[in-house]
């Protein structure tokens, strides 16, 4: 049988005050101008720092972009940490509504997560989902739990919003409904699996 | 006209070839110019920004390197996606380009999705009385879990192999389909 890797926690990124100022300014500019090549000069001017300071903190655009995506996830799209795994569908619905309000920023986070091994955290919520499932539905097998963590982590991301908007032309309301429906449908089969119940025979 | 189509394709073929050694991030217009013999200026004319290049490259890869097979039933759909995930594992640089291109703010007109269209057509035929709302959200979910994005997240976020990704995909799709009203399915 295949071994299922444990989801790991995200690395803690310490952001200085200066960096925070640059990142929030950059995000403002993305929402005004789009993601394409907002010049460092313009960021520096708006943030009230020298261009050199921007370069010192973010030597290449990829650093700026990944740091911005991380910052956006932690601040703009932070949402409420669900207390129960069964709160996740509602949290997903709210997240989709937030992506719809700040669509350019949703694209930034979605794209940063798709870059392969370059520092983005595409499974930020996975450790939390894993913990809640162990706690609330201990009868799940490791395989079942891992599949659920993976599916919910994937749904609870701006990628869902982007795909449904781009490829299916859905409205913000319909996207929120569709993502919540999918999460509910995935959780429904385990709603009655109490802790007393032994894992199903395989 | 013919000439421009060829130039377009030559630029994209070069960019795809360069993905063997570098990530999309590291490939410059100068690299592509050198590799393709097309001037940098011409490349800029065809692809004014890197987002244009990324989206066009993804379409080229889909068409030339990772064409999807046809499916009309649920098992065929699942098999098609399994096969795609295996192809992604064999060519991760291509798959990450597809995942990234699908997530950026669109630059090309009509960001069409052949896979979403095929899924909707399949669902209409196997579950003809499914209501419009269920049809749409099921199509959306199946498309999203069958995407390069899902493969990319599983690979870089959860360290999953193609086999594990396929397993989660299949399990998820079956659970979603089971939740639909049983009378919706064709006899």
């Amino acid at each position: 049988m295949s071994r299922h890797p444990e989801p790991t926690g995200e690395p803690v990124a310490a952001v200085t005050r200066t960096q925070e100022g640059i990142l929030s300014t950059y995000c403002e500019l993305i929402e005004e101008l789009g993601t394409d090549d907002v010049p460092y000069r313009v960021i520096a001017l708006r943030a009230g720092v020298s261009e050199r300071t921007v370069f010192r903190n973010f030597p290449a655009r990829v650093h700026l972009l990944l740091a911005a995506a991380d910052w956006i996830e932690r601040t703009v799209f932070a949402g409420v940490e669900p207390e129960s795994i069964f709160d996740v569908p509602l949290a997903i619905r709210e997240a989709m509504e937030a992506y719809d309000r700040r669509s350019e920023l949703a694209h930034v986070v979605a794209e940063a997560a798709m870059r392969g091994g370059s520092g983005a955290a595409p499974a930020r919520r996975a450790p939390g989902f894993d913990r809640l499932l162990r706690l609330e539905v201990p009868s799940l097998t490791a395989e079942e739990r891992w599949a659920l963590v993976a599916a919910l982590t994937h749904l609870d991301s701006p990628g869902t919003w982007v795909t449904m908007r781009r490829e299916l032309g859905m409205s913000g309301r319909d996207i929120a409904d569709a993502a919540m429906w999918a999460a509910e449908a995935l959780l429904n089969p385990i709603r009655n699996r109490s802790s007393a119940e032994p894992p199903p025979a395989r | 006209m013919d000439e421009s189509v060829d130039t377009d394709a030559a630029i994209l073929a070069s960019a795809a070839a360069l993905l063997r050694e570098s990530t999309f991030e590291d490939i410059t217009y100068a690299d592509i110019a050198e590799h393709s013999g097309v001037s940098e200026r011409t490349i800029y004319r065809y692809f004014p920004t890197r987002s244009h290049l990324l989206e066009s490259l993804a379409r080229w890869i889909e068409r030339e390197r990772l064409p999807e097979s046809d499916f009309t039933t649920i098992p065929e759909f699942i098999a098609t996606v399994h096969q795609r995930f295996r192809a992604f594992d064999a060519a991760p640089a291509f798959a990450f380009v597809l995942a990234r291109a699908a997530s950026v703010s669109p630059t090309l007109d009509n960001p069409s999705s052949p896979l979403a269209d095929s899924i909707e057509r399949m669902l209409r035929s196997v579950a003809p009385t499914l209501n419009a709302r269920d049809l749409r959200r099921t199509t959306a979910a199946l498309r999203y879990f069958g995407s390069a994005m899902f493969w990319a997240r599983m690979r870089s976020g959860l360290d999953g192999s193609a086999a594990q990704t396929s397993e989660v995909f299949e399990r998820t799709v079956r659970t979603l389909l089971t939740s639909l009203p049983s009378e919706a399915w064709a006899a």
Side-chain angles (χ1 to χ4, degrees), chain A residues 67-87:
Chain A
D70 193 54
W71 184 82
I72 294 165
E73 274 210 280
R74 287 164 191 276
T75 56
V76 182
F77 298 140
V80 180
E81 197 72 36
E83 280 172 31
S84 159
I85 198 72
F86 299 105
D87 287 340

Side-chain angles (χ1 to χ4, degrees), chain B residues 4-186:
Chain B
S4 77
V5 169
D6 290 349
T7 309
D8 196 354
I11 296 167
L12 296 172
S14 284
L18 290 167
L19 282 173
R20 273 199 285 267
E21 287 130 44
S22 324
T23 63
F24 179 77
E25 198 63 44
D26 296 328
I27 297 171
T28 64
Y29 278 37
D31 296 336
I32 300 171
E34 193 185 337
H35 190 279
S36 63
V38 176
S39 78
E40 216 176 316
R41 193 192 180 123
T42 306
I43 301 175
Y44 272 105
R45 215 173 58 230
Y46 282 101
F47 308 105
T49 71
R50 292 188 69 82
S51 293
H52 287 90
L53 179 64
L54 178 65
E55 276 199 80
S56 305
L57 180 58
R59 287 193 186 184
W60 185 89
I61 290 170
E62 287 259 16
R63 202 174 56 237
E64 303 291 329
R65 295 288 182 265
L66 296 167
E68 72 176 71
S69 33
D70 274 347
F71 55 87
T72 51
T73 66
I74 305 281
E76 281 171 15
F77 165 63
I78 289 173
T80 297
V81 173
H82 284 180
Q83 186 269 323
R84 265 175 92 73
F85 287 163
R86 281 195 300 273
F88 290 168
D89 253 22
F94 285 169
F96 276 115
V97 165
L98 298 189
R100 277 181 68 177
S103 59
V104 294
S105 208
T107 52
L108 306 179
D109 292 339
N110 172 35
S112 70
S113 172
L115 191 56
D117 296 344
S118 307
I119 292 170
E120 190 181 326
R121 210 175 312 118
M122 168 193 74
L123 284 172
R124 276 184 199 284
S125 116
V126 298
T129 61
L130 201 59
N131 67 64
R133 181 160 212 86
D134 282 346
L135 176 69
R136 206 132 96 105
R137 53 197 192 181
T138 309
T139 302
L142 263 47
R143 198 283 167 260
Y144 187 46
F145 280 97
S147 67
M149 273 195 203
F150 181 55
W151 175 90
R153 189 185 313 284
M154 291 292 285
R155 171 128 170 175
S156 61
L158 291 157
D159 210 13
S161 64
Q164 289 169 330
T165 302
S166 292
E167 191 187 305
V168 176
F169 161 77
E170 183 165 351
R171 193 186 276 267
T172 303
V173 165
R174 294 203 184 281
T175 307
L176 290 174
L177 294 173
T178 308
S179 79
L180 295 171
S182 52
E183 59 275 15
W185 300 96

